[in-house]
Amino acid sequence: EADIYQTPRYLVIGTGKKITLECSQTMGHDKMYWYQQDPGMELHLIHYSYGVNSTEKGDLSSESTVSRIRTEHFPLTLESARPSHTSQYLCASLGVRADTQYFGPGTRLTVL
Amino acid sequence: GNSVTQMEGPVTLSEEAFLTINCTYTATGYPSLFWYVQYPGEGLQLLLKATKADDKGSNKGFEATYRKETTSFHLEKGSVQVSDSAVYFCALDQGGKLIFGQGTELSVKP
């Protein structure tokens, strides 16, 4: 079983608030990813990182930002949340010897 | 660009019925292919994978064969259980990034 954690699991906040979604993995994986999952289930890559101090935007444009200061930690930040940010956010990681990405349990965000 | 297309859901079956969820892909080259499963309230779990043409991935009674000639990777199970109720995603690997299909919700009734 993969060791990748996300907190909080559920978050309800008001418009305009700044939030950070946490993602940590204890497997020493270099590559980490953030996906946004629509209520209709589709998954879209919004950010990825191939190592410390490396971050890239994914296929779906997002107002969120990420950082990768430590290998095990890949937080996602929204400076000013809006109702359009309501979604589930899934974090994943991939190591050199891993053959597929391992996913965290997700954070379900609701912005009122 | 690369893409994955899955059959639309929801799919509703009775327990012990045969399951097929269709998945086709468009890609340059021969990427690895995956099926992921998402149970209610959880993240994605790898169900099975295939890395080259004619490979068959299998796990927990589910199977899928990498068909180069039809660019398909259909998921099958001979006898579904209520516990198989979940959302199933087909995906391909694009240089370390996953491209997902839109997901197919499966509901199995007792």
Side-chain angles (χ1 to χ4, degrees):
Chain A
E1 188 160 318
D3 296 322
I4 179 164
Y5 309 99
Q6 290 186 245
T7 57
R9 290 293 312 276
Y10 303 92
L11 181 61
V12 180
I13 59 167
T15 297
K17 299 290 187 185
K18 177 181 178 179
I19 58 164
T20 296
L21 308 184
E22 302 288 349
C23 176
S24 295
Q25 50 94 6
T26 58
M27 298 170 283
H29 287 174
D30 291 323
K31 297 179 180 177
M32 295 188 74
Y33 308 82
W34 276 103
Y35 293 87
Q36 184 173 337
Q37 185 171 27
D38 297 341
M41 300 184 305
E42 281 203 55
L43 285 145
H44 302 282
L45 180 67
I46 52 173
H47 297 284
Y48 61 99
S49 167
Y50 284 169
V52 170
N53 294 326
S54 151
T55 62
E56 302 286 344
K57 290 192 178 296
D59 304 321
L60 179 69
S61 176
S62 173
E63 293 165 350
S64 58
T65 59
V66 292
S67 62
R68 190 86 184 278
I69 298 171
R70 302 197 315 267
T71 297
E72 63 272 20
H73 196 212
F74 190 41
L76 180 146
T77 298
L78 276 166
E79 289 292 334
S80 179
R82 294 206 298 271
S84 60
H85 296 138
T86 294
S87 192
Q88 168 141 270
Y89 292 85
L90 293 168
C91 181
S93 71
L94 175 69
V96 171
R97 280 196 279 274
D99 55 4
T100 190
Q101 294 179 22
Y102 292 93
F103 283 80
T107 294
R108 187 169 295 280
L109 173 65
T110 302
V111 184
L112 303 175
Chain B
N2 295 349
S3 66
V4 177
T5 302
Q6 288 180 235
M7 67 185 282
E8 288 195 20
V11 174
T12 302
L13 296 173
S14 298
E15 207 164 22
E16 298 183 3
F18 184 86
L19 169 71
T20 299
I21 300 177
N22 290 338
C23 170
T24 57
Y25 66 90
T26 302
T28 52
Y30 302 106
S32 294
L33 301 174
F34 307 89
W35 276 101
Y36 280 84
V37 59
Q38 185 176 31
Y39 297 104
E42 298 184 14
L44 273 67
Q45 300 175 26
L46 177 66
L47 181 59
L48 53 84
K49 65 178 174 69
T51 57
K52 60 184 187 297
D54 300 325
D55 260 5
K56 178 187 282 189
S58 61
N59 186 26
K60 298 180 182 179
F62 291 90
E63 292 184 340
T65 301
Y66 193 139
R67 301 278 187 209
K68 179 179 64 173
E69 61 278 8
T70 54
T71 61
S72 65
F73 193 54
H74 304 322
L75 182 68
E76 296 181 335
K77 186 174 185 181
S79 176
V80 293
Q81 305 300 312
V82 173
S83 57
D84 293 327
S85 297
V87 179
Y88 292 82
F89 292 91
C90 185
L92 65 81
D93 178 79
Q94 179 179 268
K97 294 188 283 183
L98 289 173
I99 306 296
F100 287 94
Q102 69 269 41
T104 302
E105 183 177 3
L106 170 67
S107 178
V108 180
K109 306 296 185 186

